[in-house]
Amino acid sequence: MKRPSIIVQLVHIQGPFKGEIQEFRGDKISIGRNPSCSLTFPPDLAIVSRNHAEIIREGNRFKLVDHSANGTFVNGKRVKETFLKDGDVLTIAKGGPKVSFLTQTREEDVVEPETGPPEQEIGTPEPFPPPESLQPRPRPKEAPDLSYKEAMVPLVIQYGPTLRSYKKVPVTIGKHPNCHFQMDHPGIMDRHAEIFFVDDQYWIKDLTSQQLVTINGVPINLGAPLKPHDEISLTPEGPFFTFLGGGRLAQVEKRAAPAPAEPPPEGPSQEKPVFQAPQKPEKKGRSFFKKVLKR
């Protein structure tokens, strides 16, 4: 059985967890250096109080309550109590870590207690499915010829310290000043990608004609739909994003592949034997004949 659940997502824009996305459930999220906090900052980050702030759920709204000495800021303004909305940027103490506040409604399974032992059916057991790592990863569904118009749906893009909100799509991404979201990155072209909305889904389109944009490592062309937790790469060298659902893109840092293991050191070197040419035997026979001839 599935029931709707509101998930709080904190996207770390600045600070020790930069690039990470943390999800929280429940009615209270505590923030501070205390190890018991829901969001625990390192103990040496003294600018953050041990019990710095809380995000408390009231119905379908979330209220921020500050308990700190150095203050908590929402969109640059210091607050003691305020209700948060999607896209708000929280600064934990002046000059401290920054996080973006987002919420998402998700259908989740609810386990109900069983009234009795389940009946066992006698028969041939079904084979176990192969591990997920061995299952082929499906290619993103592409649209052969999508015609789309302007849609009044929200879009939030977080890239580094920049957080931009849009009330409608399509939104173009690129270096050109005419793009809605300008991105200064060596691999980004003038008109690089476009986010649009059709068939009740957010889609992304590659505008480079070079198959630079990928979803979960698979290149896309004319357009492909976005699903929550999809990994988007605008070029092979980045930038990289995660689609959080509800029209929200958050930049993430791609973890470098582990370096190949170095070969084990060889054993103690042994000196190679020096080849010595065999010594010629003394020519005793020749000296003997000389003595005989002299006689």
Side-chain angles (χ1 to χ4, degrees):
M1 182 178 179
K2 292 182 177 293
R3 291 180 182 174
S5 176
I6 299 180
I7 310 299
V8 172
Q9 295 172 325
L10 296 181
V11 182
H12 290 264
I13 303 173
Q14 177 179 302
F17 307 124
K18 179 181 177 181
E20 295 187 17
I21 302 169
Q22 295 179 305
E23 294 188 347
F24 300 92
R25 294 166 175 81
D27 297 332
K28 183 183 293 186
I29 303 169
S30 54
I31 302 172
R33 291 185 293 115
N34 195 320
S36 63
C37 288
S38 310
L39 171 54
T40 305
F41 286 100
D44 58 348
L45 193 61
I47 194 173
V48 177
S49 300
R50 287 181 57 81
N51 296 287
H52 197 97
E54 289 179 319
I55 298 175
I56 303 172
R57 179 175 177 176
E58 295 186 0
N60 290 333
R61 299 198 299 171
F62 291 86
K63 182 171 66 174
L64 173 71
V65 181
D66 175 64
H67 302 299
S68 69
N70 294 325
T72 304
F73 301 77
V74 177
N75 301 326
K77 182 180 179 181
R78 185 167 181 169
V79 297
K80 289 301 291 184
E81 288 189 11
T82 188
F83 284 99
L84 300 172
K85 59 183 183 297
D86 275 8
D88 280 346
V89 175
L90 282 60
T91 304
I92 315 301
K94 188 174 182 180
K98 288 184 179 181
V99 298
S100 173
F101 172 84
L102 299 170
T103 59
Q104 181 181 21
T105 302
R106 188 182 303 168
E107 295 285 335
E108 295 190 331
D109 292 323
V110 177
V111 180
E112 295 185 349
E114 298 180 356
T115 56
E119 297 181 358
Q120 296 182 354
E121 297 182 0
I122 301 176
T124 304
E126 295 183 0
F128 288 102
E132 185 178 354
S133 60
L134 300 180
Q135 294 179 1
R137 199 165 196 174
R139 291 182 60 87
K141 172 187 172 185
E142 292 200 6
D145 184 17
L146 271 179
S147 58
Y148 52 91
K149 300 179 181 179
E150 186 176 273
M152 301 300 293
V153 293
L155 179 66
V156 179
I157 302 177
Q158 178 264 315
Y159 175 62
T162 303
L163 185 72
R164 294 285 301 276
S165 299
Y166 304 89
K167 295 182 179 180
K168 60 182 179 180
V169 293
V171 168
T172 54
I173 301 172
K175 279 186 177 178
H176 198 276
N178 291 337
C179 289
H180 299 95
F181 191 90
Q182 295 182 42
M183 189 175 291
D184 186 15
H185 187 279
I188 297 297
M189 303 178 69
D190 283 349
R191 287 174 54 83
H192 199 94
E194 187 172 52
I195 308 293
F196 60 96
F197 189 84
V198 69
D199 293 337
D200 295 326
Q201 281 185 296
Y202 288 87
W203 295 64
I204 185 169
K205 182 178 181 180
D206 188 341
L207 302 179
T208 68
S209 302
Q210 299 181 22
Q211 293 189 334
L212 296 180
V213 182
T214 64
I215 298 178
N216 301 324
V218 180
I220 59 145
N221 291 316
L222 297 176
L226 294 171
K227 301 184 295 296
H229 310 298
D230 272 350
E231 298 177 2
I232 303 165
S233 172
L234 296 186
T235 75
E237 293 77 28
F240 307 99
F241 294 86
T242 294
F243 183 66
L244 302 177
R248 293 166 295 180
L249 285 175
Q251 184 191 14
V252 294
E253 295 184 6
K254 189 174 183 180
R255 293 179 173 85
E262 296 183 358
E266 298 181 357
S269 58
Q270 297 180 356
E271 295 183 358
K272 295 182 179 180
V274 180
F275 177 77
Q276 295 180 353
Q279 296 180 356
K280 295 182 179 181
E282 294 182 0
K283 299 178 181 180
K284 296 182 179 179
R286 184 177 298 179
S287 59
F288 173 77
F289 283 114
K290 285 183 179 180
K291 293 180 179 179
V292 172
L293 292 174
K294 285 182 179 180
R295 291 179 182 177

